[in-house]
Amino acid sequence: MDVQKSAHAPSPTAERSRPDVTRRSQRSRQAIYEAALALVAEVGYPKTTIEGIAARAGVGKQTIYRWWSSKADVLLEAFLDLSEQAARAAGEDTHAIPDTGDLAADLKAVLRATVDELRDPRYEAPYRALAAEGVVNEQLGRDFLTKLLEPSLQLYVDRLRAAQEAGHVRPEADPRIALELFVAPLAQRWLQRSGPLSHAYTDTLVDYALHGLAPR
Amino acid sequence: MDVQKSAHAPSPTAERSRPDVTRRSQRSRQAIYEAALALVAEVGYPKTTIEGIAARAGVGKQTIYRWWSSKADVLLEAFLDLSEQAARAAGEDTHAIPDTGDLAADLKAVLRATVDELRDPRYEAPYRALAAEGVVNEQLGRDFLTKLLEPSLQLYVDRLRAAQEAGHVRPEADPRIALELFVAPLAQRWLQRSGPLSHAYTDTLVDYALHGLAPR
Amino acid sequence: MDVQKSAHAPSPTAERSRPDVTRRSQRSRQAIYEAALALVAEVGYPKTTIEGIAARAGVGKQTIYRWWSSKADVLLEAFLDLSEQAARAAGEDTHAIPDTGDLAADLKAVLRATVDELRDPRYEAPYRALAAEGVVNEQLGRDFLTKLLEPSLQLYVDRLRAAQEAGHVRPEADPRIALELFVAPLAQRWLQRSGPLSHAYTDTLVDYALHGLAPR
Amino acid sequence: MDVQKSAHAPSPTAERSRPDVTRRSQRSRQAIYEAALALVAEVGYPKTTIEGIAARAGVGKQTIYRWWSSKADVLLEAFLDLSEQAARAAGEDTHAIPDTGDLAADLKAVLRATVDELRDPRYEAPYRALAAEGVVNEQLGRDFLTKLLEPSLQLYVDRLRAAQEAGHVRPEADPRIALELFVAPLAQRWLQRSGPLSHAYTDTLVDYALHGLAPR
DNA sequence: CCGTAAGCGAGACGGTACGTCACGTCTTCGG
DNA sequence: CCGAAGACGTGACGTACCGTCTCGCTTACGG
């Protein structure tokens, strides 16, 4: 049966006729990523427009709308792509947290690297833009969190668990919360410009978080 | 006397023809505040437009452009006005942190109240919008910080210093950094939706921050 | 040959990025013409706005700005289009001046027809508007003259020259000036409402012009 | 004192509370006339605004709205004032048409003077503006006609009647129409820029009009 | 190996909002 | 109470982008 299928079946599996991924132009995709990052860096996120990205990438607007649903979406993918490139360029486990046995030292080292990264002008503009958009746009916020932040945070969870097993952290402490004690203040300062970022600052955070504010 | 004064000295101090503040319509100003807050709550910040605010407030666009420089600026003032009203309505020392002698209890009480406030739908939308805009727009970010956040943070600084004098906090700890240990994680979770907000959560933060993660 | 031409030479002759005429929507164009003429007739030229035309035509403002430079420009083209349609509808030589051998009779016939046309409410409003705008706006005035008036005036020149050859008009008379003797007074009366328009009036003009005011 | 004055009786006699003419500031009036004429000459009629006139005249907007009903109205009065001044400056019967007994010569002389006047840059801009506005705005058109044009035209009527009595013009000719034969073409050429203005041109008009186009 | 259907660059289209300008009204002060 | 000043509600301006929609034109595949 099904003799007369006649299938111009537009969507094999998809519910909403997604374009044919195999025919996608990688050339255009890369050009769009580059244009998006460049524009955000040059004129800021709000003045970055889809038309502007298309023009700069030498691409039709439809090519953007075909593959992404919004400006924020383009930028998120562009940023992820940038991160991957950077990661690949810098060798494998760039962001894995070392385990020298000295938890405080390991955390300080990683946070110092983070501070340096946050100051890299290539990252600053798009990162801020994504963070801001995520605050207001729930869908993007979730994507930003799961695709970009969670993987890094998981590394802290792993390291803290190892420290617990080694008896360097209170066994009943929840690592998912514990890591916020030094990560959140850093993020906050950077996002809100509420104070200077420095290695000394993150070192202090680690000390306070590990040993508490109350006198021993 | 002074018959031939003729002095129509227009600007006593002004640098560039600012409108005459004494003639400002308080009626319009209030209507604009209300419209702005309502729209942000109803349709979200990005879909809130100056034209929309003007229409809803029954006001000309120019009346907005005359007194504010941007949508964010309007919203910031509207929010400040809302806060002031709320403060006046709730009696004097609403936000002062109590000092019962038990620092942990006092902090937990305040943070629980903060959690409740962050969940108030009247505050959520505009607060998020302002926080997001401040991330990307440096000028607004600074205003947001100094006018809205700093006064609250200062209360923590004061309470922490009192605790230091009472010997409940290590004397060498910097209160400005110390407060970030419990304030920043809460802010972060709320802004990034990276976890549930609850009284239990903030209680935990206070415990971790005061006593540290390392075993005693 | 020419394998690597790569020449995407964008503008062969163009001076400054004119829109692509081949992609122009004829549907919109006609709708704009109709809306413009209707609005001028209904509310008058000064109260006719580009926004109004766009709204009535169901068209974006930009579609007007893309193809025309001003309200007057739209109206001029709309009026030209209207004239062409009317001409096509009325057969070929509508406006050609007949040559029965009796110059006075021929001129009177044509001027009577002109009087009737000037009273047609479809023509009155846009025609007045264009004439008025042309007085003040030199560029439009020239367009109005060359595209709309000159062709008609040329018909008078032709007829007068034929009359000269037939010995019915003084051979040294300049037809370009001569025609003004009966055309200009009619135009003037109509534009300035300085007197009633009637067939008797134009007949009189022709008589005066052909035979002069001085007694014979 | 005067605590219970309360009398803000708005309109003592008038049907529509016209302001008290006796208190009118002549200083402001003159300043407004000058500003209006200057602006029309400098930036053109459409870009001349009431606000601009008020600012340039050092006058409140209300002072203009109190005494005039529209921009066109201001300009008409300003122009009338200018004409009167010019007339007063140039002695009495400037514009009276001479009667030397030679009608053609007299008309040529007057029309030559008119051509010269039409070229005076002080007159050109406001005159054009008023003529154009009058075409489209019936009320102003009538005022323009009766206050500015009719008095001049009447002079031609008078001169033509005198010529009729002297037997130099056909007795059955209607002077009101006859004058249009040379006045309208000149006006038309000037308004529509449909040809050069020169003394030779107006001379020709007079010859054609007086002696006709048909061969004698 | 050739037709056909996709992705593509381009950009016109119906719209919405922008930020500015001028309108005509209204209110405040000073003379 | 006139007049200078100018804030106000209104509405049009001309521009910038939005997201959708054709247009040819490559370009890869499947009969």
Side-chain angles (χ1 to χ4, degrees):
Chain A
M1 75 238 22
D2 216 338
V3 174
Q4 294 211 340
K5 223 178 73 173
S6 90
H8 37 54
S11 45
T13 52
E15 70 259 292
R16 188 59 195 81
S17 77
R18 276 247 233 83
D20 182 343
V21 167
T22 67
R23 294 212 181 191
R24 185 168 188 179
S25 160
Q26 292 312 311
R27 215 172 147 285
S28 296
R29 198 216 284 242
Q30 281 306 321
I32 288 164
Y33 287 161
E34 277 158 34
L37 292 170
L39 283 174
V40 166
E42 287 171 22
V43 305
Y45 180 73
K47 290 198 180 170
T48 297
T49 66
I50 299 247
E51 293 207 334
I53 296 171
R56 176 145 182 168
V59 138
K61 280 200 286 178
Q62 204 56 258
T63 301
I64 298 183
Y65 285 111
R66 188 173 301 119
W67 301 107
W68 293 276
S69 64
S70 67
K71 177 170 73 165
D73 205 27
V74 175
L75 193 58
L76 177 56
E77 283 201 18
F79 194 73
L80 285 169
D81 180 75
L82 176 65
S83 302
E84 274 170 42
Q85 276 181 242
R88 242 179 337 241
E92 271 319 300
D93 41 30
T94 324
H95 286 106
I97 300 178
D99 188 347
T100 63
D102 181 346
L103 177 61
D106 293 347
L107 291 175
K108 287 176 183 175
V110 171
L111 288 177
R112 285 173 174 225
T114 303
V115 165
D116 294 342
E117 199 179 292
L118 290 176
R119 284 200 186 122
D120 183 330
R122 284 178 310 156
Y123 290 83
E124 167 133 20
Y127 203 100
R128 284 196 113 87
L130 288 168
E133 187 67 14
V135 166
V136 134
N137 174 337
E138 181 154 357
Q139 182 52 54
L140 184 94
R142 299 223 176 281
D143 286 358
F144 181 65
L145 196 60
T146 58
K147 294 184 183 162
L148 215 63
L149 300 183
E150 284 298 0
S152 303
L153 296 184
Q154 189 56 41
L155 301 176
Y156 286 95
V157 171
D158 295 345
R159 182 65 186 82
L160 286 171
R161 266 203 242 282
Q164 278 179 318
E165 275 158 31
H168 299 145
V169 165
R170 300 206 321 248
E172 75 279 12
D174 178 344
R176 197 60 191 65
I177 297 180
L179 69 86
E180 296 180 7
L181 291 194
F182 34 85
V183 166
L186 173 56
Q188 200 77 343
R189 277 215 173 183
W190 182 67
L191 287 175
Q192 298 193 334
R193 290 167 268 243
S194 51
L197 297 190
S198 68
H199 292 177
Y201 168 65
T202 49
D203 287 358
T204 306
L205 283 176
V206 171
D207 287 336
Y208 286 6
L210 290 185
H211 303 113
L213 303 168
R216 302 232 141 197
Chain B
M1 75 298 290
D2 214 340
V3 173
Q4 298 216 338
K5 216 177 86 175
S6 92
H8 36 58
S11 48
T13 53
E15 64 262 308
R16 183 62 196 88
S17 78
R18 277 247 233 82
D20 182 342
V21 163
T22 68
R23 292 227 197 295
R24 185 167 186 179
S25 161
Q26 292 311 310
R27 217 174 145 285
S28 296
R29 196 216 284 244
Q30 281 305 320
I32 288 164
Y33 286 160
E34 278 159 34
L37 291 170
L39 282 173
V40 166
E42 287 171 23
V43 304
Y45 181 73
K47 289 196 180 173
T48 296
T49 66
I50 300 245
E51 290 206 334
I53 296 171
R56 177 146 183 166
V59 137
K61 276 201 287 180
Q62 205 61 348
T63 300
I64 298 185
Y65 284 111
R66 190 166 11 245
W67 301 108
W68 293 277
S69 62
S70 67
K71 179 169 72 162
D73 204 26
V74 176
L75 195 57
L76 176 56
E77 283 200 19
F79 196 72
L80 286 169
D81 180 76
L82 177 65
S83 303
E84 273 169 41
Q85 276 181 242
R88 251 188 321 258
E92 273 318 302
D93 42 29
T94 324
H95 285 108
I97 300 177
D99 187 347
T100 65
D102 181 346
L103 176 61
D106 293 347
L107 290 176
K108 287 175 182 175
V110 171
L111 287 177
R112 285 172 175 225
T114 303
V115 165
D116 294 341
E117 200 179 291
L118 288 176
R119 283 198 185 125
D120 183 330
R122 284 179 309 156
Y123 290 83
E124 166 135 17
Y127 204 100
R128 283 197 114 85
L130 287 169
E133 187 67 13
V135 166
V136 135
N137 174 337
E138 180 152 359
Q139 183 51 54
L140 184 94
R142 299 221 175 282
D143 285 357
F144 181 65
L145 197 60
T146 58
K147 293 184 183 161
L148 216 63
L149 301 183
E150 284 298 2
S152 304
L153 297 183
Q154 189 55 42
L155 302 176
Y156 286 95
V157 171
D158 295 343
R159 182 66 186 81
L160 286 171
R161 268 204 239 281
Q164 277 179 319
E165 274 159 30
H168 301 144
V169 165
R170 302 211 315 253
E172 76 278 13
D174 179 344
R176 198 61 190 65
I177 296 180
L179 67 87
E180 296 180 7
L181 290 192
F182 34 85
V183 166
L186 172 57
Q188 199 75 344
R189 276 213 173 184
W190 182 68
L191 286 175
Q192 300 193 333
R193 289 168 270 245
S194 50
L197 297 191
S198 68
H199 291 177
Y201 168 65
T202 49
D203 287 357
T204 306
L205 283 177
V206 171
D207 288 336
Y208 286 8
L210 289 186
H211 304 112
L213 304 168
R216 300 229 147 200
Chain C
M1 75 297 294
D2 216 340
V3 173
Q4 296 215 340
K5 219 176 81 173
S6 92
H8 36 57
S11 47
T13 52
E15 64 261 310
R16 184 62 197 89
S17 79
R18 278 246 233 83
D20 182 342
V21 161
T22 69
R23 291 226 197 293
R24 184 167 188 180
S25 161
Q26 293 311 311
R27 216 174 147 284
S28 296
R29 196 215 285 244
Q30 281 304 321
I32 288 165
Y33 286 161
E34 278 158 34
L37 291 170
L39 282 174
V40 166
E42 287 171 23
V43 305
Y45 180 73
K47 289 195 180 173
T48 296
T49 65
I50 300 245
E51 290 207 334
I53 296 172
R56 177 148 184 164
V59 138
K61 277 201 285 179
Q62 205 62 350
T63 300
I64 298 185
Y65 285 111
R66 186 160 21 237
W67 301 108
W68 293 277
S69 62
S70 67
K71 179 170 72 163
D73 204 26
V74 175
L75 194 58
L76 176 57
E77 282 200 19
F79 196 72
L80 286 169
D81 181 75
L82 176 65
S83 302
E84 273 170 41
Q85 275 182 242
R88 248 184 328 250
E92 273 318 302
D93 41 30
T94 325
H95 286 107
I97 300 178
D99 188 346
T100 65
D102 181 345
L103 177 62
D106 292 348
L107 291 175
K108 287 175 182 175
V110 171
L111 287 176
R112 284 171 174 226
T114 302
V115 164
D116 295 341
E117 200 179 291
L118 288 176
R119 283 198 184 124
D120 183 329
R122 285 179 310 157
Y123 290 82
E124 167 135 17
Y127 204 100
R128 282 196 116 83
L130 287 169
E133 187 68 13
V135 166
V136 135
N137 173 336
E138 180 152 358
Q139 182 51 54
L140 184 95
R142 301 222 175 281
D143 286 357
F144 181 65
L145 197 60
T146 58
K147 293 184 183 162
L148 216 64
L149 301 183
E150 285 297 2
S152 304
L153 297 183
Q154 189 55 42
L155 302 176
Y156 286 95
V157 170
D158 296 343
R159 182 65 187 80
L160 286 172
R161 267 204 241 280
Q164 277 178 320
E165 275 158 30
H168 301 144
V169 165
R170 301 207 320 249
E172 76 279 13
D174 179 344
R176 198 61 190 65
I177 295 180
L179 68 87
E180 295 181 7
L181 291 193
F182 35 85
V183 166
L186 173 57
Q188 199 75 344
R189 276 213 174 186
W190 182 68
L191 286 176
Q192 299 193 333
R193 289 168 271 244
S194 49
L197 297 190
S198 67
H199 291 177
Y201 168 64
T202 49
D203 288 357
T204 306
L205 283 176
V206 171
D207 288 336
Y208 287 7
L210 289 186
H211 303 113
L213 304 168
R216 303 227 142 201
Chain D
M1 73 296 303
D2 213 342
V3 173
Q4 295 214 338
K5 215 178 83 175
S6 94
H8 33 55
S11 47
T13 52
E15 71 259 289
R16 190 56 196 79
S17 77
R18 275 247 232 87
D20 182 343
V21 169
T22 66
R23 294 215 183 186
R24 184 166 188 181
S25 159
Q26 292 312 310
R27 215 172 147 285
S28 296
R29 197 215 285 244
Q30 281 305 322
I32 288 164
Y33 287 161
E34 277 158 34
L37 292 170
L39 282 173
V40 166
E42 285 171 23
V43 305
Y45 180 73
K47 289 196 179 171
T48 296
T49 66
I50 299 246
E51 294 205 334
I53 296 171
R56 177 146 182 167
V59 138
K61 281 200 286 179
Q62 204 54 256
T63 302
I64 297 184
Y65 285 111
R66 196 174 354 253
W67 301 106
W68 293 277
S69 63
S70 67
K71 177 171 72 165
D73 205 27
V74 175
L75 192 58
L76 177 56
E77 283 201 18
F79 194 72
L80 286 169
D81 181 74
L82 176 64
S83 301
E84 273 169 42
Q85 274 181 245
R88 246 184 330 251
E92 271 319 299
D93 41 30
T94 324
H95 285 105
I97 299 177
D99 188 347
T100 64
D102 181 346
L103 176 62
D106 291 349
L107 291 175
K108 287 176 182 174
V110 171
L111 287 176
R112 285 173 174 226
T114 303
V115 164
D116 294 342
E117 197 179 294
L118 289 176
R119 283 198 186 125
D120 183 330
R122 283 179 310 156
Y123 291 83
E124 166 133 19
Y127 203 100
R128 284 197 113 87
L130 288 168
E133 187 66 14
V135 166
V136 134
N137 174 337
E138 181 153 358
Q139 182 52 54
L140 184 94
R142 300 222 176 283
D143 286 359
F144 181 65
L145 196 60
T146 58
K147 293 185 183 161
L148 216 62
L149 300 183
E150 285 298 0
S152 304
L153 296 183
Q154 189 57 40
L155 302 176
Y156 286 94
V157 172
D158 295 344
R159 182 65 185 81
L160 286 172
R161 268 205 240 282
Q164 277 179 318
E165 275 157 31
H168 301 144
V169 165
R170 302 210 315 255
E172 76 279 12
D174 179 344
R176 197 60 189 65
I177 296 179
L179 70 85
E180 296 180 7
L181 291 194
F182 35 85
V183 167
L186 173 56
Q188 199 76 341
R189 277 213 174 185
W190 183 66
L191 286 176
Q192 298 194 333
R193 291 168 268 245
S194 49
L197 297 189
S198 67
H199 291 178
Y201 168 65
T202 49
D203 288 357
T204 306
L205 282 177
V206 171
D207 287 336
Y208 286 7
L210 290 186
H211 303 112
L213 304 168
R216 304 232 137 197

